[in-house]
């Protein structure tokens, strides 16, 4: 099954073709994680970009992004990364240049006008200067912002803080006032031996993850369970007062319902058989005028 993302052209022969076209302008090159990158001379940046755009076999027509990285330990602490895209070859490369706070980098706005905005972002965040940019101003921070936020030596809290003042009816700048001190976080895994007792470890009977005096200290034993109530001996004084007993005697008691009489004889008085009812009424037989009623059992008198 093919991936939904676009497939870029392979890197076969890209480094050799670029080195032949650029010559001594290439300081180093590498291929890693399927990407090709070149480090070129800062002074010849415009010429390098022109050759990468117009040389057959390279043809990187678009400038996609300009990124910056700060390495304070290097003499040239800033490294700029130009991301190029070839539409005809469907391929991408990265071009790196190095500079510091003073030495400017040649602007490539003459090749790609979009570089004007991208270079302003790098200048605003890192403080890198660009020679040839017609409008090198801040673009992301405030007009009166001090410093460059993406530098490694820039404080996390900044230098000043701003707010809107109702008295002055404008935005005012004040010294930084932290609501609370910075917290020190310990990223040590509890399985590697933390220097404190984690919540819940005090309930375990065995040794905790850290063999510290706090962890070795056993928690206090739980209180013993309450003894069950035992009935008092006969004749023991009752805790109920005389008034409570008198009130209890005065309270009327409900009489329990009488039990029904158990049926022992199946008579008509108990079963209700033979009773005349609208739904269960026997019809009397028509009397025959020729039949004379008798008192005996089956004998005529």
């Amino acid at each position: 099954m093919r991936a939904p993302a676009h497939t870029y052209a392979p890197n076969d022969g890209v480094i050799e073709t670029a080195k032949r076209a650029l010559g001594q302008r290439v300081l180093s090159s590498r291929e890693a994680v399927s990407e090709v990158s070149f480090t070129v001379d800062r002074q010849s940046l415009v010429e390098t970009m022109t050759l990468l755009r117009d040389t057959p076999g390279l043809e990187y027509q678009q400038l996609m992004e300009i990124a910056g990285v700060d390495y304070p330990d290097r003499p040239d602490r800033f490294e700029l990364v130009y991301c190029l895209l070839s539409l005809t070859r469907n391929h991408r490369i990265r071009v790196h240049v190095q500079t510091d706070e003073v030495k400017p980098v040649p602007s490539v706005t003459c090749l790609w006008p979009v570089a004007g905005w991208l270079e302003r972002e790098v200048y605003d965040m890192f403080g890198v200067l660009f020679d040839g940019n017609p409008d090198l101003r801040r673009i992301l921070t405030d007009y009166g912002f001090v410093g460059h936020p993406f530098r490694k030596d820039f404080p996390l809290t900044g230098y000043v803080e701003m707010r809107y003042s109702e008295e002055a009816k404008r935005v005012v700048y004040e010294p930084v006032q932290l609501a609370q001190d910075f917290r020190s976080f310990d990223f040590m895994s509890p399985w590697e031996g933390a220097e404190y007792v984690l919540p819940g470890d005090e309930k375990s009977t065995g040794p905790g993850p850290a063999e510290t005096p706090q962890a070795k200290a056993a928690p206090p034993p739980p209180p013993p369970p309450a003894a069950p109530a035992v009935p008092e001996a006969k004749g023991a004084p009752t805790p109920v007062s005389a008034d409570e007993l008198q009130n209890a005697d005065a309270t009327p008691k409900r009489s329990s319902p009488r039990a029904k009489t158990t049926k022992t004889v199946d008579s008509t008085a108990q079963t209700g058989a033979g009773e005349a009812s609208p739904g269960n009424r026997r019809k009397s037989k028509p009397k025959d005028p020729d039949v004379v009623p008798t008192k005996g059992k089956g004998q005529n008198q």
Side-chain angles (χ1 to χ4, degrees), residues 184-230:
S184 58
F185 294 92
D186 185 6
F187 297 98
M188 182 180 296
S189 172
W191 293 274
E192 297 177 359
E195 298 298 332
Y196 51 86
V197 180
L198 296 176
D201 287 350
E202 66 277 1
K203 301 178 183 179
S204 62
T205 56
E211 296 297 333
T212 59
Q214 293 81 0
K216 291 181 179 179
V230 180

Side-chain angles (χ1 to χ4, degrees), residues 79-128:
E79 185 167 342
L80 305 185
V81 183
Y82 294 78
C83 302
L84 304 182
L85 170 64
S86 174
L87 299 176
T88 56
R89 298 177 53 253
N90 194 22
H91 193 265
R92 293 176 182 265
I93 62 171
R94 300 196 310 267
V95 179
H96 298 242
V97 295
Q98 297 179 1
T99 185
D100 57 10
E101 301 94 331
V102 181
K103 293 180 291 188
V105 178
S107 176
V108 293
T109 52
C110 57
L111 301 177
W112 296 288
V114 69
W117 291 81
L118 303 178
E119 291 173 355
R120 288 180 61 180
E121 291 180 0
V122 176
Y123 164 73
D124 194 359
M125 296 292 103
F126 294 94
V128 177

Side-chain angles (χ1 to χ4, degrees), residues 32 36-37 122 129 138 152 155 157 185 205 226 263 266 281 292:
V36 175
S37 60
V122 176
L129 301 176
R138 291 185 179 269
K152 295 295 180 64
T157 58
F185 294 92
T205 56
K263 183 175 62 176
D266 293 337
R281 183 175 296 174
V292 179

